[in-house]
Amino acid sequence: MMRAFHLCTALLANAVLVLGAMASGEKSGATPICLTANDLSIATGQPSLKLMAGGSVQIPIWSLSGGTAGQSVAGLVAGLPGDCAAVKVEIVVINTETPAEPGLEDVYRVHLTQMVEDAPFTTRYYLGTPVRTRLPATRFCTRTIVLESCYETVPNAPLWIRIQREPGDPADTFTRPTGLAAVKVTPLDAPQKPQVVQDTKGYNSWPMMQAIGDKLVCVYSRGQGHTVGEDARAVYSRTSVDGGKTWTAETVVANTPHYGEVPVGKGLDSSGQMLLWIRRVGKEWQHDLYRSTDGVKFVLVATPPLPVKPVQITDIFEVPTVGLMALWFGGSYKEEEGHSWGTLTSRDNGATWHQITIESDLLKAQWPTEPAAVYLGDGKILAIARTELAVNTTERAQFQMVSTDYGATWTRHRTNIGDVTNSTPSLILDAGTGLLSNYYYQRGKGALRRRVVDAGRIFNSPLRWPASEVVAEGSQVKFDAGNVNATAIKGTHYLSFYSGKAPDTAVLVSELPAPSH
């Protein structure tokens, strides 16, 4: 019996090592490190080490309760490669029972730290985001779940890992035990460093990135701090024709006396000229629309009078039979009702705009903010929006809103995109592959993340977004970095964001090949 026990442990370890293709950032030739159930021990609560048997196969697992909170197991990885910049952490979970009904989910999270020489072992502690997944329909089915796609590591320091099930999370609806069979740790290379667009003294922030043909246009604002209404805050532009390696001299786009101005949305009109929404805050709160043919000179097109005052109007995209469209959101950021969102449409190439409210009187917890949207074809529009929730449960996740009738009606659902903190999304749809890239910056962790998916797969299934990958890194000062905005030129994506520490931050741009699968 013991011979079979150890044999199946070795077989499981080998299976875990070869699971999945190499993801972006994984070290070429690096061997993932596997901790089996026998390499883990009780950390909190009373989970039990059991032998799961099915016919002639026996696999050791840790049984984690679906009814008792606070059960976790932990292990230590001592052999990370010396050139390892970060690690991805996955778990292998097995159904110990057949779910009583379809659609039930369980939730897990990881705790991580490193034992760095001459430093408290709590120094590098990181509490992972709770991750929800749907259970397979039958017993003995195996799932590999990414709990953290990029934890930055220090060379030659042991890595401590604790895996915890979260039956108290609202999404953990499977009340029976599950079996933790293994933990997989994959060494990663560091992401490519971004290029600098503007790092002159001041709070350079909230950039918009738009391609006009083969030219990149980056529009951003600069002030004295993380404030939108200060008189010192103006909007500037720089352009690049070599993929962001060099930039033209800065030009002023808007600098209205007694107002603070911030670019909040961009896009192209029907003739391919750039459109730019600038929010102007002073004695009034207005949104001005500008147009540019070259990214250098911008001309004011409209300041539309809107019945519902938006906090922000976001990126512009074209919808057949409708014209130009942008999404907006409005509210006070207070917990009570009173928040709203909707669409703006223009049938005359941006000269005039019609506002429609899709949802109103929302609680802050229900409020989708700073949305990005793409037109998929056949009347379908998909939008992803930020959440303003701060709780560390699966309730803190980006929203997905979809329309099947060219934006006339919408449905809104919460996604499984939970590695977010005030994370503004930016979407790119690659027409040739049908792949949708969702870029967002996880504030506080300093990670610019990407999730790539076939848009058709998640249009009606917002909980099926695949795991994220970290494609760039920035400041971990919570609100002094973030707000990614993306554009594409041919087969390359360009991502602008800002990073630093007040009072000085920089606007940066990262370059990535468009995903192919």
Side-chain angles (χ1 to χ4, degrees):
M1 179 69 173
M2 288 303 295
R3 181 175 179 275
F5 182 94
H6 291 298
L7 175 61
C8 73
T9 300
L11 290 172
L12 175 65
N14 184 67
V16 172
L17 291 181
V18 299
L19 275 170
M22 180 176 290
S24 174
E26 291 186 14
K27 295 185 66 63
S28 177
T31 302
I33 300 163
C34 180
L35 300 177
T36 69
N38 288 331
D39 298 317
L40 305 171
S41 59
I42 295 175
T44 59
Q46 295 181 319
S48 54
L49 183 62
K50 296 184 176 182
L51 193 64
M52 176 175 281
S56 299
V57 179
Q58 300 86 32
I59 296 178
I61 62 163
W62 280 99
S63 179
L64 300 177
S65 172
T68 303
Q71 293 194 352
S72 67
V73 294
L76 198 65
V77 175
L80 291 175
D83 60 347
C84 174
V87 294
K88 178 173 68 174
V89 180
E90 301 166 275
I91 58 173
V92 179
V93 177
I94 302 175
N95 280 24
T96 57
E97 300 180 20
T98 299
E101 57 184 277
L104 296 178
E105 295 180 293
D106 52 1
V107 178
Y108 303 88
R109 80 160 85 228
V110 65
H111 303 248
L112 296 165
T113 195
Q114 277 192 283
M115 300 170 66
V116 179
E117 196 74 17
D118 297 325
F121 62 79
T122 55
T123 301
R124 294 189 53 78
Y125 173 73
Y126 173 69
L127 175 63
T129 297
V131 177
R132 62 192 294 179
T133 61
R134 180 176 294 188
L135 274 80
T138 56
R139 190 184 181 201
F140 295 151
C141 285
T142 299
R143 287 171 291 153
T144 301
I145 304 169
V146 179
L147 294 187
E148 175 51 55
S149 60
C150 187
Y151 171 77
E152 188 177 352
T153 54
V154 172
N156 304 314
L159 174 69
W160 175 84
I161 303 172
R162 176 156 72 96
I163 306 299
Q164 182 168 322
R165 187 172 170 190
E166 297 286 0
D169 189 279
D172 195 316
T173 52
F174 183 62
T175 59
R176 303 298 298 162
T178 52
L180 174 65
V183 180
K184 177 184 173 186
V185 179
T186 304
L188 304 176
D189 287 323
Q192 184 176 354
K193 289 187 177 181
Q195 304 282 349
V196 174
V197 179
Q198 180 58 279
D199 61 355
T200 191
K201 186 176 179 60
Y203 203 89
N204 301 278
S205 53
W206 300 308
M208 293 283 128
M209 183 71 80
Q210 179 62 54
I212 304 178
D214 291 335
K215 178 190 289 186
L216 288 175
V217 181
C218 187
V219 183
Y220 51 92
S221 69
R222 182 167 59 250
Q224 298 173 340
H226 193 95
T227 56
V228 299
E230 57 175 329
D231 188 25
R233 182 165 291 281
V235 177
Y236 306 90
S237 176
R238 303 186 84 172
T239 67
S240 173
V241 293
D242 58 7
K245 297 177 180 62
T246 61
W247 294 85
T248 58
E250 181 179 88
T251 58
V252 177
V253 178
N255 188 12
T256 307
H258 311 301
Y259 285 87
E261 290 168 299
V262 174
V264 292
K266 49 78 178 178
L268 298 176
D269 67 13
S270 60
S271 62
Q273 297 182 44
M274 181 177 175
L275 294 174
L276 178 71
W277 287 113
I278 292 181
R279 180 176 57 198
R280 178 165 47 89
V281 178
K283 61 181 179 181
E284 302 167 319
W285 187 294
Q286 300 283 1
H287 283 80
D288 300 323
L289 183 66
Y290 288 80
R291 176 179 279 115
S292 178
T293 60
D294 58 6
V296 177
K297 182 180 180 181
F298 287 79
V299 177
L300 180 63
V301 176
T303 304
L306 302 173
V308 182
K309 184 178 73 175
V311 170
Q312 188 170 316
I313 303 170
T314 60
D315 286 356
I316 298 166
F317 56 103
E318 195 162 2
V319 178
T321 76
V322 175
L324 302 179
M325 180 178 289
L327 302 184
W328 63 270
F329 66 98
S332 65
Y333 291 89
K334 296 179 179 179
E335 299 296 334
E336 59 265 20
E337 294 180 350
H339 303 88
S340 58
W341 71 278
T343 62
L344 283 173
T345 56
S346 174
R347 295 184 178 275
D348 52 14
N349 213 24
T352 61
W353 293 83
H354 176 61
Q355 185 181 38
I356 296 176
T357 299
I358 303 299
E359 290 186 290
S360 60
D361 295 324
L362 296 174
L363 295 169
K364 180 178 159 182
Q366 305 166 322
W367 188 32
T369 65
E370 307 198 13
V374 290
Y375 178 71
L376 301 178
D378 297 323
K380 293 181 178 179
I381 305 171
L382 184 146
I384 298 294
R386 157 175 154 171
T387 178
E388 299 301 323
L389 280 180
V391 294
N392 197 2
T393 72
T394 55
E395 293 289 291
R396 188 189 66 192
Q398 290 182 334
F399 291 101
Q400 179 170 303
M401 299 94 77
V402 297
S403 173
T404 59
D405 53 10
Y406 300 92
T409 61
W410 296 74
T411 58
R412 173 179 54 85
H413 295 284
R414 203 177 301 276
T415 69
N416 62 331
I417 304 171
D419 47 3
V420 295
T421 305
N422 301 109
S423 300
T424 302
S426 188
L427 303 180
I428 294 182
L429 177 67
D430 289 296
T433 62
L435 294 177
L436 179 65
S437 297
N438 178 11
Y439 293 100
Y440 54 96
Y441 193 95
Q442 186 180 11
R443 282 175 156 150
K445 191 174 188 298
L448 199 166
R449 296 182 179 271
R450 174 174 72 174
R451 296 193 186 219
V452 180
V453 70
D454 184 317
R457 177 189 174 193
I458 48 85
F459 188 83
N460 293 313
S461 303
L463 297 177
R464 293 188 64 193
W465 279 85
S468 69
E469 57 180 324
V470 173
V471 297
E473 293 176 329
S475 170
Q476 295 183 3
V477 180
K478 185 174 180 181
F479 285 107
D480 291 342
N483 285 82
V484 61
N485 190 260
T487 193
I489 297 177
K490 298 174 181 175
T492 303
H493 293 182
Y494 297 94
L495 327 170
S496 63
F497 63 103
Y498 75 100
S499 178
K501 182 178 180 180
D504 297 312
T505 58
V507 173
L508 308 174
V509 59
S510 285
E511 175 185 349
L512 285 176
S516 58
H517 60 275

